[in-house]
Amino acid sequence: MYAAAPSGVIGVLDLQGGVQEHLEHLRRIEVAGQPIKHASDLEGLAGLIIPGGESTCLARLLRIFGLREAIEAHYHQGLKLWGTCAGAILLARENIGEAPCLGLIDIAVSRNAFGSQLDSFNDEALAPALAREPIPLTFIRAPKIISVGTDVRVLLQLNDYIAAAEDDRILVTIFHPELTPSLAFHRYFARKCGLNPASGDETDLDPNWTPQSWIQSRK
Amino acid sequence: MVENRYLLNTQLAQMLKGGVIMDVVNVEQAQIAQEAGAVAVMALERVPADIRKQGGVARMSEPDLIKAIKESVTIPVMAKARIGHFVEAQILQALKIDYIDESEVLTPADEECHIDKTCFEIPFVCGARNLGEALRRIAEGAAMIRTKGEAGTGNVVEAVRHMRTMNREIRQLANMPTEEVVSFAKNNGLPYELALEVKKLSRLPVVNFAAGGIATPADAALMMQLGCDGVFVGSGIFKSSDPVRRAGAIVKATAYYNDPDKLLEASLDLGDPMPGLDVASMPAGERLAGRGW
């Protein structure tokens, strides 16, 4: 078993993208969050979130600073991972038309599958494993999960694509819970990491969250 | 524009944080930029240094060029419209690029009005020299702000001035009793409601990038340490002696802006930067930052 989990800290990969947004959501569920810039920062984490951003940029920085190997090594020792949007692309075993980056979960993704920013959208849907009420969903130049392997469970299927999935150690979402008031996915991931976050109510929407809340974690 | 759409547009800017947006003038440069780790490209016909040198009227780039660049990369594509030229913006929206820069680098089309950006679905980024300019652009519907700096000079001094000015004015506002906000807003040209929001947040309510004169990894990290959320590099990459290395180095330096060892590493073996221009001795008419109102 992963011996380092007792720290209770969830890291957020801090190379580029929506880092503060995730840290702010972790704060709201009273889980300690930490920005992760170096391979040595991975020691003792219970989980690591790979945030949204630009996947080509993140992939290059992971490669040149040795973080890719470090994340793989920690994953094999039990580190739990969650990729949102670009993060899901980096974790996918198959990235249609491109080489995979970390390739740790058996899913196939198609990058930027909806079109340009004009095709970014909001939606809401029921994900029974996460919450009893529909969860608000924000898709920004999102990829699609096209297919999943036999050991991967679908958490949310929409139209012709899969929006959230997991295996025993990795969670992937193509949308951005950290850009909405919903804390359901952060709580779900914290539990997956063996932590015991405070419970939310049935909707699990934080009434105090605003679109500018990330600024609190920026300062 | 529905409120939803504006929020999605500010949120795309949030996903660009910590990244570098690079000016490119053709497909080959766009691919170099993407490969180097740019978070977006700005599709242009001429980089600011050439616009400055060649003079004449600088307009929106040819749609064919923008289209070819858009088809050659998967990262977001931005393009510039002239200040106040809402029809150029309509065309860029119809092209379905990802972001419009209503830019002082192009020759203004309107010397009084900027584009009413609330009429558009597509997001806009606009330049600012101070808090008043930033908040006026946000009031008009900009989803992202950047410093103006002085584009095409390879001289970071104006970008520093603009960021320090914004920071200073935000600090003043944050520490001011509420009854003083009205006169501060009046004297500095701040829309009042947005001034109150900035006061509450102690920051601009949207993402704010550095732009205008960034030429080295150190310049990029300087702007990040001053509090910018990311960096635009215009002429600085493709006017240098080794664009591939420099592009990659500026991406590294922006991600690790607070780590001097990594900054040193990023600064080694880069070849020559673009030649720089002194801004202080430049006639006022040649300064691009003065465009916009």
Side-chain angles (χ1 to χ4, degrees):
Chain A
M1 233 3 251
Y2 194 50
S7 76
V9 177
I10 291 181
V12 182
L13 185 70
D14 182 14
L15 297 177
Q16 190 274 313
V19 180
Q20 292 95 14
E21 291 79 355
H22 276 295
L23 290 170
E24 178 60 20
H25 263 45
L26 291 173
R27 192 183 68 74
R28 285 169 189 273
I29 61 165
E30 296 170 27
V31 164
Q34 192 184 317
I36 302 297
K37 269 195 145 58
H38 304 277
S40 58
D41 299 338
L42 292 165
E43 293 300 330
L45 290 182
L48 176 70
I49 298 174
I50 304 181
E54 276 307 314
S55 58
T56 43
C57 172
L58 289 167
R60 177 173 180 275
L61 291 168
L62 281 174
R63 193 176 67 237
I64 59 181
F65 290 113
L67 272 156
R68 193 175 64 181
E69 294 75 11
I71 290 171
E72 275 166 18
H74 282 271
Y75 164 78
H76 289 298
Q77 290 163 33
L79 178 67
K80 305 295 191 293
L81 301 168
W82 174 17
T84 50
C85 194
I89 296 171
L90 298 178
L91 287 167
R93 192 156 297 163
E94 191 187 347
N95 181 6
I96 310 288
E98 293 167 66
C101 178
L102 289 156
L104 296 173
I105 182 167
D106 191 7
I107 60 171
V109 296
S110 172
R111 189 140 67 98
N112 200 9
F114 293 89
S116 77
Q117 171 62 8
L118 290 163
D119 303 298
S120 293
F121 64 102
N122 297 116
D123 198 354
E124 61 171 28
L126 200 60
L130 276 293
R132 273 183 248 175
E133 299 289 327
I135 297 175
L137 306 169
T138 294
F139 297 79
I140 296 187
R141 287 175 44 89
K144 284 181 182 175
I145 301 173
I146 304 299
S147 62
V148 301
T150 48
D151 56 347
V152 176
R153 296 176 290 278
V154 172
L155 293 171
L156 184 58
Q157 168 92 40
L158 297 167
N159 305 319
D160 64 336
Y161 57 93
I162 295 155
E166 67 171 353
D167 64 15
D168 289 342
R169 289 188 282 170
I170 298 182
L171 173 65
V172 283
T173 56
I174 61 171
F175 48 86
H176 294 275
E178 77 284 7
L179 297 181
T180 74
S182 172
L183 301 175
F185 273 89
H186 287 77
R187 245 185 264 282
Y188 188 78
F189 182 63
R191 292 202 186 95
K192 197 176 176 74
C193 296
L195 306 180
N196 197 11
S199 296
D201 63 11
E202 288 204 349
T203 61
D204 210 359
L205 301 177
D206 188 332
N208 297 318
W209 180 90
T210 74
Q212 281 77 38
S213 288
W214 64 275
I215 287 170
Q216 298 314 308
S217 291
R218 173 81 169 89
K219 279 187 277 183
Chain B
M1 182 171 57
V2 282
E3 197 180 324
N4 239 355
R5 182 54 53 186
Y6 180 72
L7 181 56
L8 283 166
N9 289 342
T10 58
Q11 289 176 329
L12 172 60
Q14 282 170 246
M15 291 304 122
L16 303 177
K17 292 199 308 284
V20 182
I21 299 168
M22 301 182 192
D23 278 5
V24 299
V25 301
N26 57 41
V27 166
E28 187 201 353
Q29 290 186 356
Q31 286 168 341
I32 289 173
Q34 175 167 278
E35 188 58 31
V39 293
V41 290
M42 178 76 70
L44 283 169
E45 239 158 30
R46 297 180 283 172
V47 294
D50 289 333
I51 292 175
R52 193 176 276 292
K53 213 180 300 171
Q54 296 158 6
V57 175
R59 311 180 181 92
M60 175 186 81
S61 298
E62 289 298 324
D64 306 276
L65 171 81
I66 299 168
K67 216 165 153 223
I69 288 173
K70 181 175 182 274
E71 281 160 10
S72 72
V73 293
T74 56
I75 56 178
V77 174
M78 303 184 170
K80 291 184 194 287
R82 281 180 267 178
I83 289 174
H85 206 315
F86 51 87
V87 175
E88 284 186 348
Q90 289 165 5
I91 292 169
L92 291 173
Q93 175 165 281
L95 251 175
K96 295 196 91 181
I97 57 166
D98 297 289
Y99 241 94
I100 295 176
D101 182 6
E102 186 185 17
S103 178
E104 70 283 359
V105 167
L106 305 184
T107 311
D110 189 324
E111 294 192 334
E112 219 170 304
C113 305
H114 283 250
I115 297 169
D116 175 9
K117 293 163 277 286
T118 62
C119 303
F120 289 80
E121 300 277 306
I122 195 167
F124 283 81
V125 55
C126 289
R129 287 168 296 177
N130 51 48
L131 185 59
E133 227 175 342
L135 296 190
R136 292 196 296 278
R137 297 295 86 79
I138 293 169
E140 292 161 355
M144 177 179 180
I145 294 295
R146 56 173 175 75
T147 62
K148 283 183 169 172
E150 191 55 45
T153 61
N155 187 341
V156 78
V157 66
E158 294 301 309
V160 168
R161 188 191 319 282
H162 299 161
M163 193 57 194
R164 281 207 184 274
T165 303
M166 277 190 249
N167 286 343
R168 186 182 311 116
E169 290 170 342
I170 290 169
R171 276 196 308 275
Q172 284 173 335
L173 199 49
N175 293 323
M176 182 178 291
T178 306
E179 65 270 26
E180 290 179 15
V181 175
V182 167
S183 71
F184 184 83
K186 181 183 167 207
N187 294 336
N188 293 283
L190 276 51
Y192 181 65
E193 296 298 324
L194 284 170
L196 289 179
E197 194 179 354
V198 168
K199 177 171 171 52
K200 193 176 77 188
L201 296 170
S202 295
R203 211 209 101 112
L204 284 186
V206 300
V207 164
N208 183 19
F209 269 43
I214 290 138
T216 68
D219 289 347
L222 172 67
M223 295 310 299
M224 293 296 288
Q225 288 195 28
L226 284 173
C228 289
D229 296 312
V231 175
F232 283 87
V233 186
S235 321
I237 290 169
F238 291 100
K239 287 288 168 190
S240 72
S241 66
D242 189 345
V244 174
R245 291 189 70 95
R246 186 161 295 265
I250 292 178
V251 169
K252 275 195 226 176
T254 304
Y256 287 91
Y257 67 93
N258 251 335
D259 183 335
D261 292 327
K262 288 271 197 302
L263 294 176
L264 168 62
E265 199 183 304
S267 303
L268 293 171
D269 196 20
L270 285 185
D272 296 328
M274 71 176 283
L277 291 176
D278 180 29
V279 181
S281 62
M282 192 177 276
E286 288 181 19
R287 296 194 194 187
L288 305 177
R291 299 165 165 182
W293 5 96

